Amino acid sequence: MGSKQVIISVFVTLISIFCLCIVKSEAQLKVGFYQNSCGLAEFIVKQEVLKGFIKDNGVAAGLVRMHFHDCFVRGCDGSVLIDSTPTNTAEKDAPPNNPSLRGFEIIDNAKASLEAVCKGVVSCADILAFAARDSVQITGGLGYDVPSGRRDGRASLSSEALTNLPPPTLNVNQLTQAFARKGLTQEEMVTLSGAHTLGRSHCTSFSNRLYNFNATTSQDPTLDQFYAGQLKRQCPQGSTNPNLVVPMDPFTPALTDVGYYRDILANRALFTSDQTLITTPQTQAQVLENAQNQFLWARKFSAAMVHMGQMDVLTGNAGEVRANCRVIN
């Protein structure tokens, strides 16, 4: 090969490496992604979350949970926001999400406001990630920078929510495996479970612990007796009301704090998947550490939310930016 051919070959190789680097850099989420294209994006989302929170402080818990449920199915692609059609039952109408997920109107309002000033720029997946962060901050948790640049997915299947979202009946080993499949550690699982300090649960999600625990006992023996009695009054056996709810944390249900971990240590956790966190030495130590140090847990929670928010994201030219978060373009 002549010297001219060598130079051309090296040049082509360098160009290829440069192009690959560009593609790779574009495929990464980054803080301030909309700084030039829609500088007020995060401010606009926060204003809508605040307005919704003033009307109903329960939407904060709803938005945090919605982001989690979005990321665990197909990655953080806004697929949980898509409405069902006559030919497809979407994620939001799967039993783990319906009727318990709430806050969709906040995302709709934020999207409408953003479309008015930055048409076709900010994805629904990013709006949801911003809204979850704002909800944590509004309720007393730490604010954190949200890397953005997600694109919206084009599919939403009820069946995938059923197979990917961990139910409230899992034990600690099953939970660890479910989170590991999503690239999250056991410590991150314990940390993110702390989101259950916010919001409410339908009685149907834990009534088995009160009335039908196993073949030998009707009530879960790990459940504090006084708390069990309180729950039975709130969720009477045989009730046909599907809308009965109780707070996840009976003392501070509207605050992002470590009350959840203190509840676990006092055997007042609502779900089996919460109480199970003190059944191994490793997870019990984390529960105790979190219960004793609000700031430490808040820092870990912020970091875990950022990590979870980067799960299987669509970037670059993948997916789309929906004009309406409920409908594929």
Side-chain angles (χ1 to χ4, degrees):
M1 183 183 289
S3 59
K4 186 175 180 180
Q5 288 175 304
V6 170
I7 291 170
I8 291 172
S9 176
V10 170
F11 179 73
V12 169
T13 302
L14 287 172
I15 288 293
S16 299
I17 292 170
F18 177 74
C19 290
L20 283 171
C21 289
I22 291 294
V23 169
K24 186 176 181 182
S25 68
E26 287 180 347
Q28 303 303 310
L29 302 183
K30 68 175 185 178
V31 174
F33 180 83
Y34 298 107
Q35 186 173 349
N36 296 323
S37 57
C38 190
L40 290 175
E42 295 187 46
F43 175 79
I44 289 170
V45 173
K46 181 169 286 188
Q47 289 303 108
E48 293 299 338
V49 173
L50 272 169
K51 283 194 282 186
F53 182 76
I54 290 167
K55 291 179 184 176
D56 174 10
N57 64 15
V59 301
L63 291 167
V64 172
R65 185 163 178 260
M66 193 188 297
H67 182 43
F68 177 92
H69 283 216
D70 183 39
C71 292
F72 261 61
V73 184
R74 289 183 168 262
C76 312
D77 67 344
S79 55
V80 74
L81 303 170
I82 296 173
D83 282 346
S84 295
T85 67
T87 58
N88 178 64
T89 304
E91 289 172 36
K92 64 165 57 171
D93 289 319
N97 290 332
N98 186 2
S100 58
L101 276 194
R102 52 182 170 157
F104 291 105
E105 71 284 356
I106 308 298
I107 305 301
D108 292 338
N109 293 342
K111 182 61 174 175
S113 297
L114 286 164
E115 287 295 295
V117 294
C118 312
K119 189 174 179 63
V121 173
V122 184
S123 70
C124 300
D126 275 343
I127 292 171
L128 181 50
F130 294 147
R133 181 269 314 276
D134 298 336
S135 296
V136 170
Q137 192 170 17
I138 288 168
T139 52
L142 287 180
Y144 53 92
D145 290 331
V146 176
S148 50
R150 297 167 189 78
R151 302 268 290 180
D152 297 322
R154 294 191 175 104
S156 182
L157 302 172
S158 170
S159 58
E160 293 184 345
L162 285 166
T163 54
N164 284 279
L165 293 171
T169 53
L170 296 189
N171 63 39
V172 70
N173 291 325
Q174 293 168 324
L175 280 173
T176 300
Q177 291 165 10
F179 276 68
R181 285 194 291 270
K182 302 299 180 181
L184 298 167
T185 66
Q186 184 181 70
E187 183 174 13
E188 286 175 317
M189 179 271 288
V190 176
T191 300
L192 288 168
S193 294
H196 284 174
T197 193
L198 283 175
R200 65 191 186 186
S201 169
H202 285 74
C203 293
T204 51
S205 295
F206 60 86
S207 58
N208 67 301
R209 298 187 72 201
L210 302 175
Y211 304 114
N212 188 30
F213 186 61
N214 59 32
T216 57
T217 178
S218 59
Q219 183 177 303
D220 185 344
T222 66
L223 195 58
D224 174 75
Q225 292 295 317
F226 177 80
Y227 185 47
Q230 179 184 330
L231 291 174
K232 285 180 176 180
R233 288 190 294 274
Q234 294 171 291
C235 303
Q237 187 172 19
S239 171
T240 57
N241 183 356
N243 299 315
L244 286 179
V245 294
V246 299
M248 293 293 295
D249 175 355
F251 299 106
T252 55
L255 287 178
T256 297
D257 61 13
V258 293
Y260 165 80
Y261 297 104
R262 292 170 183 160
D263 291 337
I264 293 174
L265 293 171
N267 294 321
R268 290 194 300 263
L270 204 53
F271 296 158
T272 298
S273 57
D274 296 323
Q275 197 61 52
T276 190
L277 297 184
I278 56 169
T279 58
T280 71
Q282 297 91 343
T283 55
Q284 184 181 40
Q286 291 165 37
V287 169
L288 185 61
E289 181 181 59
N290 292 338
Q292 293 174 338
N293 194 325
Q294 162 85 22
F295 184 67
L296 174 66
W297 170 74
R299 285 176 55 197
K300 290 195 297 182
F301 185 75
S302 297
M305 286 288 281
V306 169
H307 187 198
M308 182 189 75
Q310 300 182 66
M311 188 188 294
D312 297 329
V313 294
L314 301 172
T315 57
N317 293 319
E320 64 186 20
V321 174
R322 277 181 234 136
N324 176 344
C325 293
R326 294 174 179 268
V327 183
I328 298 163
N329 288 348

